[in-house]
Amino acid sequence: MNEFNYRDGQLYAEDCKVSDIVAEVGTPVYIYSQKTLERHFNVFDGAMGGLDHLICFSVKSNSNLAVLRLFANLGGGADIVSGGELFRCLKAGMEPNRVVFSGVGKTREEIRYALESGIMMFNVESEMELEEIQRVASEMGKIAPISFRVNPDIDPKTHPYISTGLKKNKFGVEVKQAVELYRKAAGMDAIEILGIDCHIGSQLTTLSPFEETVLKLREIVEDLEREGIQIRWIDLGGGLGITYNDETPPSPEAYAKTVRKAAEGMSQGFIFEPGRVMAGNAGILVTRVLYVKQGPVKTFIVVDAGMNDMVRPSLYGAYQEIQPVVASDAKIVADVVGPICESGDFLAKEREVPNAKPGELLSVMSAGAYGFTMASNYNSRPRPAEVMVNGEDYFVIRRRETYEDLVRGEQIPPWLS
Ligand SMILES: *Cc1c(COP(=O)(O)O)cnc(C)c1O
């Protein structure tokens, strides 16, 4: 469910007419519904009711300060994968002790920054990283709270690029090695063992991989307890899928039920790192049709948003629903393509799409997660504006980039002058 619906033939974001927003802000533009974001958070949070838990929103899915502030106000934390994401969280007013830091390549500077800021814990992904964190924390006279990210070798049955919990993936440590690393960490003076962590993939549409994961982590936790190593938090990562097209992902309630059942009788608290399920269907990308081009074998609808603005179709062959902003039943089989000089630049391929004419607006649905955050300046295109809607109000939460923004920081060496 989301707040992008038609009224009198016009697409609305909550109580704002999308074409009115575009008239002021232009295209392409990302539009997020605050109500939808709130509802997604509250439904997830409610489903976990009674379970000691913390929701750490995955910042890489949507890192706008306004979105982070909203989740912070609702009592959420954050899952970050870089120092830049930590900076955003702090700027947005998020409690540092609700921030967990994942990722295989944390630099010394990032580790120092996270320790200075007082984050909740590091999700450690290798032995060398553990040693680096011990070294930096020790130099700073601090204790670093950690968990190990375990790679349980579970197939999430999703796109290979977003599977992360298989033996062949770069993420986490093997189960056997994890136990050895916990023993090693227990003997380190600047390390505090706080949790165990896992993230097996994204856009999961079945519950069994989650169940297997909890059972596997449970075994490890119980083994560690027998050795006198106590685990306070079990971090299950993110990964719950959403409906882009005809997927039927489990509801947060069903997910919560699975977790509860697999974790029955355990004393640990649970951390969740949802991204897509919070933000995905809370956003759209609105683009304007520039030209319609009839090729020898195909029709192309050329729009002003390209793979630099929304890369999921090009990168993963992902399906993004495309709807007209002024309701119409007229359909055509076409490719919806952007202006980028790459044949992989498309938003939809050989699909039935609205038969939109030049000047008309199209809405790329389910664009709230991994949309703007994956946008780039490829082809020297300024990145789109972002707008948040709240009832009848809307606010530009990131202004459209300018040409000056494109060259910020660039310099011509004096010998070329
Ligand atoms: C990407 C990521 C998430 C969020 O995944 P979603 O599928 O968007 O819920 C959570 N944790 C980690 C470590 C990630 O890399």
Side-chain angles (χ1 to χ4, degrees), residues 28-166:
V29 57
Y30 278 95
I31 300 175
Y32 310 123
S33 156
Q34 178 170 330
K35 270 205 188 73
T36 309
L37 290 166
E38 281 167 348
R39 198 185 51 249
H40 288 168
F41 185 94
N42 288 330
V43 165
F44 199 101
D45 197 34
M48 300 299 168
L51 197 69
D52 180 16
H53 71 279
L54 178 63
I55 298 176
C56 291
F57 175 63
S58 171
V59 175
K60 77 177 191 287
S61 69
N62 188 321
S63 59
N64 189 287
L65 293 180
V67 172
L68 299 181
R69 170 66 64 91
L70 176 68
F71 287 133
N73 287 351
L74 293 170
D79 169 51
I80 59 166
V81 292
S82 71
E85 288 189 350
L86 176 54
F87 178 77
R88 285 180 172 278
C89 288
L90 298 176
K91 266 250 182 264
M94 202 160 250
E95 298 273 356
N97 63 9
R98 289 189 182 157
V99 173
V100 297
F101 193 169
S102 306
V104 293
K106 304 173 190 79
T107 65
R108 182 170 306 180
E109 292 69 31
E110 287 175 320
I111 293 167
R112 186 170 297 130
Y113 180 33
L115 282 168
E116 261 164 23
S117 309
I119 66 162
M120 182 182 186
M121 66 180 171
F122 294 89
N123 291 335
V124 179
E125 305 219 14
S126 65
E127 182 167 11
M128 286 183 77
E129 183 192 334
L130 173 71
E131 288 164 356
E132 183 76 339
I133 294 174
Q134 154 71 26
R135 200 158 34 237
V136 176
S138 176
E139 273 167 26
M140 295 172 72
K142 300 230 182 221
I143 304 286
I146 63 129
S147 69
F148 285 104
R149 175 167 178 180
V150 174
N151 183 331
D153 195 29
I154 290 170
D155 187 356
K157 300 181 183 72
T158 182
H159 191 283
Y161 287 11
I162 49 178
S163 294
T164 51
L166 287 167

Side-chain angles (χ1 to χ4, degrees), residues 4 12 33 41 64 83 112 123 132 147 165-167 199 270 289 308 337 379 383 390 405 412 417:
F4 302 100
Y12 275 71
S33 156
F41 185 94
N64 189 287
R112 186 170 297 130
N123 291 335
E132 183 76 339
S147 69
L166 287 167
K167 273 206 174 102
H199 171 72
F270 282 82
V289 177
N308 72 298
V337 302
N379 279 208
R383 285 179 295 173
N390 179 27
D405 290 330
I412 294 167
S417 63

Side-chain angles (χ1 to χ4, degrees), residues 10-13 16-26 31 286 288 325-326 361:
Q10 284 279 343
L11 183 64
Y12 275 71
C16 293
K17 209 184 200 176
V18 166
S19 57
D20 287 348
I21 297 174
V22 167
E24 188 195 328
V25 184
I31 300 175
V286 181
R288 194 179 288 281
V325 167
V326 177
L361 297 170

Side-chain angles (χ1 to χ4, degrees), residues 8 22 87 99 105 166-167 171 187 241-242 272 284 336 343 368 398:
D8 301 325
V22 167
F87 178 77
V99 173
L166 287 167
K167 273 206 174 102
F171 299 101
I242 63 169
F272 302 97
I284 60 175
V336 177
S343 291
R398 192 181 208 277

